[in-house]
Amino acid sequence: MKLMKKINRALIIQTLSQQGPLSRADLTKITDLSPTTISSITEELIQEGLIVEVGEGESKGGRRPILLDINPEDFYILSVNIAVDVMYVYLFNLKFQVINSVHDLIKKPVSPNLDSQLKELVQKVVENSNIGKKNVVGMGIGATGIINKEKGLITYSASLGISDYPLLDKVKREYDFPILLENDTNLAALGEKKFGCGRQLTNFFYIMIGSAIGGGIIIDNEIYRGKFGGAGEFGHITVEKDGPLCECGNQGCLNAVLTPYITVRSREEFRKSFQEIIKDDNFDSCRYHEFCEYLAMAITNYTKLFDPEAIVLGGEIARIAPERFYIDLEKYIKRMSLKGMNSKIPVLPSSIRTNAVVLGGACLCFDNLYNNV
């Protein structure tokens, strides 16, 4: 009985988060729970402050129904993006609205400074928002690199220059609320799934290109991490035998092979280098087509393994790439695809042009919250 009640509470919170405001009758219809169960659980959630009555709905012949929704005022989620060169900390309410944010350049060397810098930025954003830590219900942290989610380790990050870094242990001593660590591109893919074009997709491959190159895989609406958390390391897929040396120590990684065409050390450098290869809308240049060809080669390696519905491009490239780029990339992918498979895989720009990682981190925390209420 306790388990069933927990499941029903989670279902009601999730439904209100995605579709609220709703009346009790709406919740009964959507969840297939009985009116008595809906009435009992919603009353408990109102008493706990997780949901609130927000007004009256339209009458369908009788009294106007009271509408319920997630309480956006009393509870908050922290979400952190540890990128290649910058750390961002955002504060969201439970309706995924941004309340405040701070950011700072990542202090070098990374290893002795990362956790203390994170704590400083968290304190700053909480103080700037005039809320107490008791009002924070969780924190999601997205970091570039291979992440061991269960152990809370940054197992390896070539961009940050750290290995087996116990970030979760270092940070969670400071806070009472739950803290979750995840790969940054996985979180961006989750944000796209919840709020972007991924809402209509069950299986897709999300590629983030900007200050770094990474990938997130969504299979059956869930993040696919692999056994050791390394699934989706798109920037380190080998596309050229005996190719240029990558920062990870291997040769021929996509990161290194694309270096003559684009720079992925920072958003600004990427934007400048990408605009250079399509300067004056020159889509016939060798540099432009070689860039598209290498990118398509790496993408088709993934599509042959996972057979996704679509490829979603996010990060800085989604903000600046023209429509012609997507058309050309699809042509190269089709040319390299196997006959009999989906050779017309659409390449879509991300619907979330900014803050995808922190939005995904907030989603991860919220899912953890309603699964444990």
Side-chain angles (χ1 to χ4, degrees), residues 145-158:
I146 297 173
I147 304 299
N148 186 318
K149 186 173 180 288
E150 284 68 33
K151 293 184 178 179
L153 294 174
I154 300 178
T155 305
Y156 176 68
S157 175

Side-chain angles (χ1 to χ4, degrees), residues 57-65:
E58 293 185 6
S59 172
K60 296 180 181 179
R63 289 167 49 182
R64 295 167 69 91

Side-chain angles (χ1 to χ4, degrees), residues 202-204 217-224 306:
T202 303
N203 303 278
F204 66 93
I217 302 169
I218 299 293
I219 297 179
D220 293 336
N221 296 317
E222 300 289 340
I223 296 172
Y224 177 74
F306 295 102

Side-chain angles (χ1 to χ4, degrees), residues 7 9 37 46 113 116 142 173 183 253 349 355 357 359 370:
I7 293 170
R9 281 167 60 94
T37 299
I46 289 171
N113 293 303
S116 59
R173 302 169 193 164
N183 171 268
C253 293
N355 308 332
V357 175
L359 184 58
Y370 77 68

Side-chain angles (χ1 to χ4, degrees), residues 84-97:
V84 174
D85 52 353
V86 183
M87 185 184 298
Y88 305 86
V89 178
Y90 277 68
L91 184 73
F92 290 86
N93 64 21
L94 296 191
K95 295 293 286 183
F96 300 104
Q97 297 164 327

Side-chain angles (χ1 to χ4, degrees), residues 32 83 99 117 183 213 318 372:
D32 284 331
I99 302 302
Q117 184 175 14
N183 171 268
I213 300 177
N372 289 282

Side-chain angles (χ1 to χ4, degrees), residues 241-252:
K241 180 179 178 292
D242 299 326
L245 185 67
C246 180
E247 62 182 357
C248 73
N250 293 324
Q251 289 181 272

